[in-house]
Structure formats: C-alpha cells, structure tokens
Amino acid sequence: MIIWINGAYGAGKTTTAELLREKLPDSFLFDPEDIGTGIRDAKPACLWKDDFQDYPSWRETVCCLLRELHETYEGTILVPMTVARPEYLEETVLRLEREGVPILHVVLLAGAERIMERIRQRGEDENSWCARQLERCVAARGHTVRGVEIETDSRSPEAVAEEVLRRIKSSF
C-alpha cells in the first residue's frame, strides 16, 4: 500500500511521514525529490528547470519505481510529495490508482499564514523556492488536488499522523 502525502510546501508532509514511519514498523519512506535531483543533475545546466516535476522523466520514473516497490515490497510506502498541477497528479497518483495500485492520497491543509510561519521556522524566507510556491499550492487545494483532506493548522504533528493512521485503517 502507498500513502501519498500531498499538500503545500510547509503543510507538514515530511514530518507526518517521519512520524508514520515510526508508527508503522514495515514502512519505507520514498522521497521523489531524490529522483528529481538525480534527473536534473543528469542534464546539462542549460536544460535545468525550476521545478523538476516539469520533467516528464521525473513523473514516469516516480510511477515506475512506486509500481515496482508495490509489487516487491510487503510494507507500507510513504510518499511525502507536493503535486499541485492537476496534469501531474493525473500522471502520478491517479495513474497508479488506475493501474490497480492501492493508494491513500492524503492532502494536508494549512492556511497561508501558518505555512509561511513553518517555512520561516525551518530557516527559509519569503524569497525561498517553497515560499514562492505558496500561492499556487494553496489555490490548488480542494479544486485541482483531491484526496483525504486533513487540516493541520490547529493540530500537532502527532495528531495529524494519528488521523492519517485512522484513515489508513478505514481505507484498507
């Protein structure tokens, strides 16, 4: 089973995934950013894109690896990754679902002010890449990005992880 944890940069995806990894002994944390970095670094700098999700090879590789993991790994695969563009969501999460891969798509929600506060807490400012994505990510929630929505503004990271665990149990 794959748990794809989506949401704006700063919504708590990585923290939630790390807490879930502690609570699910058979879980594996799959980081699609590692794939993006590898794909970007394999290209000449003149071909680099601002967002590695814009590489079709990133979307294809992520799907291929997750499908392979699903077929060969017995545990839970945790995927903390923001995907706000509907066509990219279609080519990743929804494609895997159509192919019969069991996925719980969780979307962590938080207000723009809270997200910016979290981005600052991790040492980034208003000009950081994540902060510059804030508007498009918040705009995508509930419109182009659908899944099990969990509000994180007023919840502790532990409470968010517990809610995801409840959703896992009720979905599978």
Side-chain angles (χ1 to χ4, degrees):
M1 149 183 43
I2 296 173
I3 311 302
W4 192 296
I5 307 169
N6 204 339
Y9 302 94
K13 297 176 304 299
T14 300
T15 300
T16 300
E18 289 171 352
L19 289 168
L20 289 171
R21 184 172 53 184
E22 293 171 11
K23 295 173 185 296
L24 297 168
D26 65 340
S27 60
F28 173 73
L29 185 60
F30 176 87
D31 189 350
E33 288 190 18
D34 293 339
I35 308 304
T37 300
I39 288 172
R40 184 195 63 221
D41 290 348
K43 297 177 181 287
C46 64
L47 297 178
W48 286 10
K49 297 181 184 280
D50 187 48
D51 185 346
F52 56 72
Q53 290 185 23
D54 292 335
Y55 297 120
S57 56
W58 177 82
R59 300 185 303 276
E60 183 65 33
T61 302
V62 166
C63 275
C64 179
L65 287 171
L66 285 173
R67 189 180 319 100
E68 181 180 327
L69 280 171
H70 165 68
E71 292 169 357
T72 59
Y73 184 65
E74 295 292 323
T76 303
I77 303 158
L78 305 168
V79 185
M81 187 70 213
T82 299
V83 180
R85 293 184 60 172
E87 63 271 27
Y88 294 174
L89 191 68
E90 182 69 36
E91 292 179 45
T92 54
V93 178
L94 300 178
R95 173 183 171 184
L96 288 166
E97 284 179 343
R98 281 191 313 275
E99 293 174 357
V101 176
I103 294 183
L104 176 63
H105 182 218
V106 175
V107 182
L108 301 183
L109 305 176
E113 288 180 22
R114 182 71 173 121
I115 290 172
M116 198 61 227
E117 178 184 316
R118 291 173 181 163
I119 289 172
R120 284 190 199 101
Q121 286 174 348
R122 60 187 197 203
E124 299 178 57
D125 65 18
E126 294 79 13
N127 296 315
S128 69
W129 192 87
C130 290
R132 292 192 322 268
Q133 309 311 307
L134 181 60
E135 186 176 318
R136 79 177 173 95
C137 289
V138 170
R141 76 183 211 184
H143 301 290
T144 56
V145 177
R146 288 186 168 57
V148 173
E149 295 182 348
I150 299 174
E151 185 63 51
T152 68
D153 274 338
S154 59
R155 292 182 178 174
S156 69
E158 292 77 13
V160 171
E162 287 298 326
E163 178 64 21
V164 174
L165 285 171
R166 280 192 289 279
R167 300 299 182 108
I168 292 169
K169 290 175 185 170
S170 68
S171 295
F172 297 99

